[in-house]
Amino acid sequence: MKRYKWMFVWLFAAFVIAASDGLAQVSPEIQLATRGVVSFNVDRAAHATASAVNDFSDTAVLLGFKQKLYGRYRGQLVVGFQFPDADSDLGQVFYHQIFVKLEDKSNILKIGRSRVRSALIEFPTLRDDDAIFYTDVLNPFSSGENTEDHQYGNVMEYAHVFGQRVWLRLHGEHFTKTPLPPATAETDFSLNAIGVSLQYRVPESQRWNRPILNQIGIGFNNFLTNRAAYGGYDEVLKNITFSAILNIRPDPVHFWDVRHQSILNLGLSGVDRITDFTSMTLARSLASTTALRYLYRKLERPTAQISLTVGYKSFPELAQNTFQWLGIINAFYRLGDNFDVGVQYTLQKFNGDLQYLFGETETRIQFSLVFAIDQLWNDQFDDRDSLLNLEHGYIN
Amino acid sequence: MNRREFLSAGAALSAFSLLPATILAEKTKQMNATKFPQPLEPKIVGDVKEFELFIDIIQHEFAPGMRVHILAFNNQIPGPEIRVNQGDRVRVKFKNKTELNHTIHWHGLHVPWRMDGVPYVTQMPVMPGEEFVYEFVAEPYGTHFYHCHWGTLLHMQSGMFGSFIIENPDDDPIKKQFPYEREYTLVYSAHDTNFMRRELNGMLERMKERMYLMRNGRFDKERFALFDSKQELLDAIERGYQPPYSLSRRAPSDLPVPNWFSVNGKSYPSTPNLYIKEGETIRVRLINAGTEEHFLHLHGHDFWLVCDDGLPVPQPWQQNTLRLSPGKTLDIIIEGKNRGLWTFHDHDTRRVTNNGLYPGGNLLVLAYEDLPDEERMVRPMKMKMAMKPGQKMNMLPKVALDE
């Protein structure tokens, strides 16, 4: 009997090997997205002027692989890296996206390092983090050295799409906790934030259906500051985010839209002074950002864009009247497909406690070139948001 | 794909083909009737035969498990068959239910030039929601077809084709020479399903914004890449206009490379069967509405080539492999002289594939429906497939796979 058992094992092994050797692999779709951002910066802060010959931060490369699985599911792997700010402590290269996604028509499960849900919408600034104190829920576990701490984290997210436009997202994250010296790297990667968001948004492919309301959403982010390893406070730090995008002139040639996002940080009780970055994130605050954008599309492609973004953030429960505001105006002109030249002027003012951290004023002028591509090879199936799938029935 | 992988995939598919689909069963024959172009019934208005065609986007299945979005006349792939008599007055009311532009070109027909369906040459495109009425006298006799002439490369392979048969019931030159009762229409096409999906999505997106501008009276020649004259185009280029085909604007990576090959909108194993009886003569009308050449080979027979582009050839001649080029129609006569089940397929076997896997594509079978019982027995196969002794032909494979 034992001999038969071994024969069976050997036969089974031989079958598995033969089967795996004989089957052709399914070739995945391959996606390459890159964005090269270089700028010449002139900064003026605290009555001193500095310049950077070459700022290439936020330059990023994303490589994605996607294929149909058995049944109705699709699987995806994305690996990406970016070049962080020169003065960050993330090193020369930061791997900001490494995640696997499993999805069908209405359900999406995403696990890995990726963009955290610290913002509901994006603003038309040169770099993602140009207005981050206003546009993103700030990570209270960060020392504030790296803006990536607020944007990227280890994420586990489930999203459900109701119909085609309503997105419910449940997410849990490990936000980076800046290691305390002498440690140089994190050792605890446990859950330190959870959240939920609900959004209505018009798919990009249907933008010329010309709805006035393009997006509206609400999100809740809870940082588990009551955990011993993450502050050990009595309370959980709660942030509530509201956003909306309105197409005020949804014209294909002369397009105008306005977007707004408010982030209410409920803060921890008893925080009445800002002395460092952490106390700034723990203090009650209300940040509001609004952007007005004009987009000129000459030949069915963007030709030029001008935008004005203003932000205001107040800290109502501090002993000293404390607030900050920001204005960004920029213009981009398309030199060719995917390639833009731009200029951006940023002005920030700080009052109250914030002056100890940032000074009174910061001014920055940037002259930039941006090259962004998004290419797909070996494409084999459609996206959830394609017009065929949205308007003529979804094909699994 | 290396040899081992090819054999492995082929073996898997062959096994699939051996499922007990019963090629000679009544149910199969009834189902088979739906695999040919469905006749479009006319409304008689005075002395005019009036047909109604519409175009819409539907989901279509080339073979089980492979669905695509496609442009379909009257929700059918191919479009319904229009069959009239030579000299009939014909009116076709064409309604565009899509958000794309279309026209209909009557391929091989001698229509008035304003009815020829070439956008911006003979007519304005039939825009979304619009209707256009084509009127002509049915000439000449023979096998013809109709297809969209707007964005032809995309729209034709996306399903916009159908057969148009002009008969001469009292004096059919072919019937006189080869008396036949039954006839079949086979419309061949080839599809790059990835190209179709990508381009249809892109065109639908562009049309959404173009329709908005048109409605607002803001037609722009440069935006639409549409000029009244070559000089106007050259002047625009002088001013800095970049034509959409230039390298700095729209540069699709490749021309379409078909990965699905269909007959009457279906790929093997969903392709239609041709039924014949011993001693019977059948007429098969072959139409190539696709972009690929097909070298069609019938096993076990020499058929007669009787019509070329609808026109009766002066002297029919026999062959067993013909070349069906894009845009061609050929009529053949098959005489039932060698009973059995015979494959009829493209001998460029790249087109006998589905998404690169053999067998598939335009693989058909010519089946003698009066095959005697004793010939329905296949003993070697019975032994291989562990069939029960005495089992009849309906356990044969759907189609013989050897070539």
Side-chain angles (χ1 to χ4, degrees), chain A residues 12-197:
Chain A
F12 181 74
F15 170 78
V16 169
I17 291 163
S20 58
D21 187 36
L23 292 175
Q25 274 209 349
V26 175
S27 301
E29 292 189 344
I30 300 171
Q31 189 169 20
L32 176 68
T34 71
R35 187 179 56 165
V37 188
V38 292
S39 62
F40 168 71
N41 302 344
V42 179
D43 296 313
R44 184 163 177 80
H47 309 295
T49 302
S51 69
V53 171
N54 190 331
D55 176 1
F56 53 83
S57 62
D58 245 25
T59 292
V61 177
L62 279 175
L63 193 58
F65 308 92
K66 195 173 182 184
Q67 72 182 50
K68 276 195 170 189
L69 308 180
Y70 305 130
R72 64 183 195 269
Y73 292 100
R74 288 148 193 213
Q76 186 182 23
L77 164 68
V78 174
V79 177
F81 59 87
Q82 70 165 204
F83 300 91
D85 291 344
D87 59 354
S88 84
D89 56 10
L90 293 170
Q92 290 288 316
V93 172
F94 174 57
Y95 290 89
H96 65 314
Q97 303 270 12
I98 307 168
F99 66 83
V100 172
K101 196 153 86 170
L102 178 68
E103 61 185 317
D104 68 359
K105 182 186 175 188
S106 305
N107 302 286
I108 305 158
L109 180 66
K110 179 172 152 184
I111 301 177
R113 181 183 292 171
S114 186
R115 185 74 165 89
V116 291
R117 298 288 166 200
S118 56
L120 292 176
I121 57 174
E122 293 180 343
F123 283 83
T125 53
L126 174 62
R127 291 186 169 87
D128 292 345
D129 58 0
D130 284 344
I132 198 162
F133 285 5
Y134 306 82
T135 59
D136 282 60
V137 171
L138 297 179
N139 173 4
F141 313 123
S142 167
S143 66
E145 188 69 30
N146 313 312
T147 54
E148 286 79 2
D149 291 353
H150 317 294
Q151 297 173 296
Y152 303 99
N154 293 356
V155 172
M156 186 187 300
E157 178 181 288
Y158 168 73
H160 184 81
V161 188
F162 295 93
Q164 297 175 338
R165 296 185 173 185
V166 179
W167 289 65
L168 174 70
R169 286 192 173 94
L170 307 170
H171 48 91
E173 298 96 356
H174 170 81
F175 277 80
T176 297
K177 183 178 184 225
T178 308
L180 293 173
T184 56
E186 284 186 272
T187 52
D188 178 359
F189 294 94
S190 59
L191 192 76
N192 59 19
I194 54 172
V196 59
S197 69

Side-chain angles (χ1 to χ4, degrees), chain A residues 21-22 207 209-210 251-253 297-300 379-382 386-389 391-393, chain B residues 4-5 8 57 59 68-69 194 197-198 201 204-206 208-210 212 218 222-223 249:
Chain A
D21 187 36
R207 65 194 180 282
N209 290 5
R210 280 165 285 283
D251 183 287
V253 183
R297 300 173 77 253
K298 187 182 173 189
L299 293 174
E300 302 178 340
D379 63 325
Q380 302 161 44
F381 46 86
D382 224 352
S386 80
L387 283 179
L388 287 172
N389 270 345
E391 299 182 1
H392 302 282
Chain B
R4 177 188 285 257
E5 289 165 346
S8 167
I57 297 178
Q59 289 189 17
V68 295
H69 289 105
N194 298 318
R197 182 184 63 251
R198 197 168 51 232
N201 272 321
L204 284 167
E205 269 194 56
R206 289 194 293 279
K208 278 182 187 286
E209 64 175 291
R210 289 176 181 189
Y212 176 86
R218 289 160 61 195
E222 292 189 2
R223 170 176 287 262
R249 280 193 63 192

Side-chain angles (χ1 to χ4, degrees), chain A residues 298-349:
Chain A
K298 187 182 173 189
L299 293 174
E300 302 178 340
R301 298 258 172 125
T303 306
Q305 177 177 292
I306 299 172
S307 75
L308 171 67
T309 302
V310 291
Y312 180 79
K313 188 171 185 178
S314 61
F315 296 84
E317 294 194 353
L318 300 188
Q320 186 179 195
N321 182 26
T322 299
F323 62 91
Q324 63 185 121
W325 64 265
L326 158 141
I328 295 177
I329 186 164
N330 57 32
F332 295 94
Y333 181 77
R334 183 142 286 192
L335 296 176
D337 210 16
N338 308 322
F339 202 101
D340 302 328
V341 58
V343 59
Q344 178 166 291
Y345 174 78
T346 307
L347 173 64
Q348 281 201 83
K349 290 270 190 185

Side-chain angles (χ1 to χ4, degrees), chain A residues 254-327:
Chain A
H254 304 286
F255 181 84
W256 287 86
D257 70 4
V258 64
R259 61 193 62 210
H260 175 85
Q261 183 177 264
S262 287
I263 300 173
L264 173 63
N265 181 347
L266 296 177
L268 298 185
S269 345
V271 179
D272 59 359
R273 286 189 63 209
I274 293 177
T275 54
D276 55 13
F277 185 84
T278 302
S279 55
M280 187 180 78
T281 63
L282 298 178
R284 188 181 180 93
S285 66
L286 176 64
S288 293
T289 315
T290 302
L292 179 66
R293 180 172 71 117
Y294 166 71
L295 177 62
Y296 174 54
R297 300 173 77 253
K298 187 182 173 189
L299 293 174
E300 302 178 340
R301 298 258 172 125
T303 306
Q305 177 177 292
I306 299 172
S307 75
L308 171 67
T309 302
V310 291
Y312 180 79
K313 188 171 185 178
S314 61
F315 296 84
E317 294 194 353
L318 300 188
Q320 186 179 195
N321 182 26
T322 299
F323 62 91
Q324 63 185 121
W325 64 265
L326 158 141

